[in-house]
Amino acid sequence: MGVLMKRGEPCEDLWLCLLCHACEAVCPNAVRIPEIVEEMRRILVDKGLEQSDLEVYLEVLDNILSSGVMMVPVSAEVRSFSEAKELSLRPLSDEVRNKLREIIKFEGSGALEGLKGEA
Amino acid sequence: MKPELGELLEQRSLAFYPGCVATSIYPGVIYSSIKVLEKLGFKVSSPEHMICCGLPLEIAGMMDRERLVKLADYNLRNFIKHDVLVTPCNGCYRTFNIALEAAASSNASNKARCLHVAEVLWSLREELREVAKTSLEGLNVVTHVGCHYVYAMPSKAIRGEEGEDLLEDIALSLGMKVLSYEEKATCCGATAIKWPRVLEALSPISKLKVTSMVESGADLMVVMCTACQLMLDRTQYQLWSLGELDRVIPVLHVSQLVGLALGLHPLEDVGLHLHLVKPLHLGASSITGLFRENDHSGSPS
């Protein structure tokens, strides 16, 4: 653990893991390694030991809370195709948005607080 | 065969959950999947709202498993509203199955099952061969199944029978030639985050994967995960733009591939013009002509 977490400092190595589960698949002791990495990431984020590189994920969070999906349609061509095939997103009601906020409940901490936006 | 797959083939009714990437980047995967499933005799419903499964927030350390389970339950009960959920994304497949296993272990009342659209197509590959309207013979393909299907849910994963994996089985059933490549088991790198900080680590694995697939000489890549599709599409485009790749090949979701074989229009239905790496000849009169170039010197168009 000391290799991956330095007390009170962000840990770059923790974020290099691709969470591909390949290690878990071959681990002779069936250790659920990706879950450990995910939990360690949560600890770092909760403690505010992360930097603004996660800003893009705050944008993802805002998109999910406001429209349900992590990104808006990337181009006018995508929007046109979706409209033509009746695949366009329906706007979320306030009730649904509030419920998502309640369930996801990311409050952030430390360095991320100032970057957290509103839906 | 997985019991839930056998049950689905009997009842032929499902809800199709597209996931975020298909919704916002590759809607041709959604339309192809729905039309292919309908042509195969399934009654397909769509969620009232497309709500993210939560995996992006989980990998960013912003959401834990308990909340993932709550989100999946909310999604299933209020918007998906079907006992059988079929998705074209490995991440969504993995996340919903984790949530449903957790619910089952706590005796929660949600009895929904989550399957992958590739599994459904694989189980009906003999039927695909019979109903295919367009020949894909002559096309060479490389496949990438994806880590969240193979490694994250290994006990549920369907292995190849005629080929090395279920995508190869489907491609072979459609008369395609499947090529091997060295980095077949390598991750595409889609779940790497903090892109600006880990570019040095990300670039090697995605470049390794993409280079290996392109150097096989294949005409196209076939995947079953929309996140992998985005990664392989974008990485090729970026490397080509930087002059680090002199040939690029389209990345098709298996739903799009089967859609072409069943007669869907490459642009109007399958949406191939929306990809970063487009087929060489978008206006070709044959499916093979879309992807083939005599000198194999394709480039994004």
Side-chain angles (χ1 to χ4, degrees), chain A residues 10-12 15 45 48-60 111-112 115, chain B residues 59-60 62 192-200:
Chain A
C11 176
E12 292 302 319
W15 300 95
V45 170
L49 294 177
E50 277 309 319
Q51 300 183 30
S52 61
D53 305 278
L54 285 180
E55 185 177 347
V56 66
Y57 281 86
L58 291 175
E59 188 179 327
V60 166
L112 295 180
L115 300 172
Chain B
I59 66 173
M62 297 162 74
I193 65 173
K194 295 180 99 178
W195 167 268
R197 295 289 291 269
V198 297
L199 187 61
E200 298 77 21

Side-chain angles (χ1 to χ4, degrees), chain B residues 77-96:
Chain B
R77 289 182 193 282
N78 292 277
F79 308 120
I80 297 170
K81 295 182 185 173
H82 201 296
D83 284 346
V84 181
L85 163 66
V86 170
T87 181
C89 174
N90 290 3
C92 302
Y93 169 84
R94 164 257 187 207
T95 304
F96 273 105

Side-chain angles (χ1 to χ4, degrees), chain A residues 12 15-16 18 20 35 38 41-42 50 53 57 68 70-71 74 81 85 90-91 99 103-105, chain B residues 20 24 48-49 52 56 58-59 61 63 65 67 74 94 147 191-194 197-198 268-269:
Chain A
E12 292 302 319
W15 300 95
L16 292 178
L18 295 174
C20 69
E35 281 189 55
E38 287 167 14
R41 288 181 179 181
R42 279 193 289 273
E50 277 309 319
D53 305 278
Y57 281 86
M70 68 174 188
M71 68 199 89
V74 295
F81 184 98
K85 300 304 186 187
R90 300 183 189 94
K99 186 64 181 178
I103 292 171
I104 294 175
K105 212 189 305 182
Chain B
C20 296
S24 300
E48 184 181 332
H49 288 297
C52 180
E58 184 192 8
I59 66 173
M63 200 156 156
R65 290 278 171 101
R67 290 182 206 153
Y74 177 65
R94 164 257 187 207
C147 305
T191 46
I193 65 173
K194 295 180 99 178
R197 295 289 291 269
V198 297
E268 292 171 14
D269 299 327

Side-chain angles (χ1 to χ4, degrees), chain B residues 166-209:
Chain B
L166 72 170
L167 294 181
E168 287 196 2
D169 286 357
I170 294 170
L172 289 168
S173 75
L174 296 173
M176 304 176 85
K177 184 176 177 187
V178 173
L179 303 183
S180 63
Y181 61 101
E182 191 167 349
E183 300 299 334
K184 194 165 169 67
T186 300
C187 180
C188 70
T191 46
I193 65 173
K194 295 180 99 178
W195 167 268
R197 295 289 291 269
V198 297
L199 187 61
E200 298 77 21
L202 174 62
S203 290
I205 200 163
S206 298
K207 182 180 176 182
L208 189 67
K209 181 75 178 185

Side-chain angles (χ1 to χ4, degrees), chain B residues 30-289:
Chain B
I30 305 175
Y31 194 73
S32 299
S33 298
I34 292 173
K35 288 301 155 190
V36 164
L37 289 168
E38 287 178 346
K39 282 178 185 280
L40 292 171
F42 290 88
K43 182 181 171 190
V44 182
S45 63
S46 295
E48 184 181 332
H49 288 297
M50 170 51 227
I51 306 292
C52 180
C53 68
L55 177 61
L57 299 178
E58 184 192 8
I59 66 173
M62 297 162 74
M63 200 156 156
D64 58 24
R65 290 278 171 101
E66 182 184 340
R67 290 182 206 153
L68 276 186
V69 172
K70 286 183 181 169
L71 183 60
D73 186 72
Y74 177 65
N75 218 338
L76 284 160
R77 289 182 193 282
N78 292 277
F79 308 120
I80 297 170
K81 295 182 185 173
H82 201 296
D83 284 346
V84 181
L85 163 66
V86 170
T87 181
C89 174
N90 290 3
C92 302
Y93 169 84
R94 164 257 187 207
T95 304
F96 273 105
N97 274 292
I98 283 175
L100 289 169
E101 281 182 1
S105 66
S106 66
N107 294 317
S109 60
N110 198 330
K111 300 294 183 199
R113 283 95 66 206
C114 179
L115 292 163
H116 200 295
V117 69
E119 298 178 316
V120 181
L121 299 177
W122 175 85
S123 67
L124 294 170
R125 61 195 185 282
E126 290 301 317
E127 196 170 322
L128 288 180
R129 195 203 309 267
E130 290 166 13
V131 302
K133 293 184 178 175
T134 305
S135 174
L136 301 182
E137 288 185 25
L139 283 175
N140 298 323
V141 65
V142 283
T143 66
H144 171 66
V145 175
C147 305
H148 284 87
Y149 183 79
V150 174
Y151 301 126
M153 312 291 300
S155 62
K156 288 182 173 290
I158 291 175
R159 311 293 175 184
E161 292 185 0
E162 299 83 51
E164 289 188 23
D165 57 57
L166 72 170
L167 294 181
E168 287 196 2
D169 286 357
I170 294 170
L172 289 168
S173 75
L174 296 173
M176 304 176 85
K177 184 176 177 187
V178 173
L179 303 183
S180 63
Y181 61 101
E182 191 167 349
E183 300 299 334
K184 194 165 169 67
T186 300
C187 180
C188 70
T191 46
I193 65 173
K194 295 180 99 178
W195 167 268
R197 295 289 291 269
V198 297
L199 187 61
E200 298 77 21
L202 174 62
S203 290
I205 200 163
S206 298
K207 182 180 176 182
L208 189 67
K209 181 75 178 185
V210 153
T211 304
S212 181
M213 295 178 88
V214 171
E215 285 181 350
S216 70
D219 300 304
L220 62 150
M221 303 178 185
V222 174
V223 300
M224 56 190 266
C225 173
T226 44
C228 298
Q229 183 175 25
L230 173 61
M231 200 66 209
L232 297 174
D233 191 20
R234 188 176 70 187
T235 300
Q236 284 191 88
Y237 186 83
Q238 289 173 322
L239 291 175
W240 179 83
S241 300
L242 292 169
E244 295 187 39
L245 207 57
D246 58 11
R247 176 174 175 260
V248 290
I249 56 178
V251 187
L252 268 63
H253 193 278
V254 64
S255 292
Q256 292 175 302
L257 181 75
V258 173
L260 290 175
L262 297 191
L264 296 184
H265 191 279
L267 278 65
E268 292 171 14
D269 299 327
V270 180
L272 294 182
H273 60 297
L274 301 174
H275 295 204
L276 285 170
V277 179
K278 300 170 181 47
L280 286 169
H281 308 291
L282 282 173
S285 56
S286 71
I287 300 302
T288 307

